Amino acid sequence: GQNIDQPTEMTATEGAIVQINCTYQTSGFNGLFWYQQHAGEAPTFLSYNVLDGLEEKGRFSSFLSRSKGYSYLLLKELQMKDSASYLCAVRSGNTGKLIFGQGTTLQVKP
Amino acid sequence: NAGVMQNPRHLVRRRGQEARLRCSPMKGHSHVYWYRQLPEEGLKFMVYLQKENIIDESGMPKERFSAEFPKEGPSILRIQQVVRGDSAAYFCASSPTVSTDTQYFGPGTRLTVL
């Protein structure tokens, strides 16, 4: 079966660093994506990993370990506008279908 | 360079009516995906289409739901005889190719069934 797990909620302080974990069990793994979604809005692409290791993009970094079925999204220098849901999604097979986790709602406090 | 366009943004239907949701992919993108997000739930894949072809409809309910992506014009997700359980946000995403490209999402259509 296909299963993606991430924490439901997290809270962090403005200016701090937060790590959002994602574990997955899927067949035909073909890449892992992180999206940000503010309430009532569309998911916005943040990062993509297909090989093991760390991808860095400004304040956001994403890590993948395929052997462990594990990824994390690291957000540095948190800002209030980073309060949103963060969606972990695995691309399965060659059709491009994305399988999403439930999302992690991050609240950034002053 | 316009992003993925969806309309309407909000749609209200009574039980038994039909809902038509439209999606225009980003310029240069020929692959369209539809996802549904029920309240307090994650996004669920419904269907993947290329121009004039349905490639993967493994997430589509067997009845009342259909999708098309004609040679000209937007992709259409059609829900016949809507029920209250169809109330959700329906997102469309597009990508240039399949295997390596990122999917970019439209703003969604929020369907409310009364």
Side-chain angles (χ1 to χ4, degrees):
Chain A
Q2 319 263 33
N3 193 47
I4 299 176
D5 287 316
Q6 38 180 146
T8 305
E9 294 179 344
M10 297 184 71
T11 303
T13 305
E14 192 176 13
I17 299 173
V18 70
Q19 177 174 313
I20 303 174
N21 296 325
C22 172
T23 58
Y24 64 89
Q25 290 177 304
T26 61
S27 57
F29 177 84
N30 192 11
L32 187 142
F33 295 80
W34 285 95
Y35 286 85
Q36 179 192 61
Q37 186 179 27
H38 285 97
E41 297 184 10
T44 304
F45 169 72
L46 290 178
S47 69
Y48 167 66
N49 297 69
V50 67
L51 299 176
D52 291 353
L54 189 68
E55 293 284 339
E56 296 188 78
K57 255 183 163 184
R59 294 190 300 115
F60 295 77
S61 304
S62 58
F63 172 83
L64 176 67
S65 168
R66 288 172 296 170
S67 62
K68 295 181 180 177
Y70 168 69
S71 173
Y72 67 72
L73 179 69
L74 194 70
L75 293 77
K76 302 175 188 174
E77 301 169 15
L78 280 173
Q79 302 174 9
M80 297 300 291
K81 68 177 182 179
D82 296 330
S83 294
S85 286
Y86 291 85
L87 314 179
C88 173
V90 171
R91 182 162 54 202
S92 175
N94 293 323
T95 66
K97 173 170 71 176
L98 293 180
I99 301 166
F100 282 86
Q102 290 282 88
T104 299
T105 300
L106 173 67
Q107 185 178 18
V108 179
K109 294 186 172 178
Chain B
N1 187 13
V4 179
M5 309 285 282
Q6 288 188 251
N7 67 81
R9 294 290 305 276
H10 299 275
L11 182 62
V12 179
R13 285 288 178 266
R14 297 191 180 279
R15 280 179 296 170
Q17 292 184 320
E18 178 179 288
R20 280 184 181 242
L21 288 61
R22 287 177 291 278
C23 168
S24 296
M26 287 178 71
K27 187 176 181 181
H29 289 195
S30 58
H31 300 252
V32 166
Y33 305 80
W34 286 93
Y35 295 84
R36 176 165 65 174
Q37 188 171 38
L38 293 167
E40 307 303 323
E41 292 191 17
L43 285 151
K44 303 290 185 193
F45 168 80
M46 298 181 75
V47 63
Y48 160 46
L49 310 102
Q50 295 177 21
K51 284 284 188 183
E52 300 185 278
N53 285 302
I54 297 174
I55 308 301
D56 182 349
E57 56 181 347
S58 58
M60 286 279 270
K62 294 287 184 266
E63 297 177 348
R64 302 188 297 108
F65 284 72
S66 62
E68 63 176 8
F69 190 14
K71 188 176 180 181
E72 301 291 338
S75 175
I76 306 285
L77 179 68
R78 182 183 178 207
I79 311 172
Q80 295 178 290
Q81 299 171 357
V82 296
V83 300
R84 290 217 172 108
D86 297 332
S87 295
Y90 292 83
F91 289 97
C92 167
S94 73
S95 70
T97 62
V98 175
S99 59
T100 59
D101 284 333
T102 297
Q103 293 176 27
Y104 294 91
F105 283 79
T109 293
R110 277 147 189 86
L111 172 66
T112 302
V113 179
L114 301 177

